[in-house]
Amino acid sequence: MASKEDVLTKGFWQSKTMKFNVLTLLVTVVTFLVDNDFFVSNPTAATVAGVVVTVGNIGLRFITSQRVQIGGDKNDGQISATD
């Protein structure tokens, strides 16, 4: 287990998982705005989208090595050791 000095943090905007989830949200909103019945009329597409998002999040979680800092950071989001 890593000691407190070994654990690094980063700003949420530096997180691949957060970027992936924001992209997923944007695609979902655009899909709804263009054709709000898309997933209703294409249940297979809804299932595939759910699986892709789930697998993407699990995969990104496995490669994550740093915690995400939300809120103010004395180093303004720079990667640093925690106090």
Side-chain angles (χ1 to χ4, degrees), residues 27-28 30-32 34-46 49:
V27 169
T28 303
V30 169
T31 301
F32 176 77
V34 171
D35 181 6
N36 63 359
D37 289 330
F38 178 77
F39 289 121
V40 172
S41 60
N42 297 296
T44 302

Side-chain angles (χ1 to χ4, degrees), residues 28-65:
T28 303
V29 168
V30 169
T31 301
F32 176 77
L33 293 175
V34 171
D35 181 6
N36 63 359
D37 289 330
F38 178 77
F39 289 121
V40 172
S41 60
N42 297 296
T44 302
T47 301
V48 170
V51 169
V52 167
V53 170
T54 302
V55 169
N57 274 304
I58 291 170
L60 287 168
R61 183 62 191 115
F62 276 113
I63 64 172
T64 297
S65 62

Side-chain angles (χ1 to χ4, degrees), residues 7-10 14 61 63-68 79-80:
V7 177
L8 300 176
T9 60
K10 61 187 171 185
Q14 296 169 310
R61 183 62 191 115
I63 64 172
T64 297
S65 62
Q66 298 171 312
R67 291 191 289 178
V68 172
I79 297 173
S80 63

Side-chain angles (χ1 to χ4, degrees), residues 68-83:
V68 172
Q69 174 81 22
I70 299 191
D73 185 355
K74 66 180 179 184
N75 294 318
D76 196 28
Q78 298 297 317
I79 297 173
S80 63
T82 58
D83 293 330

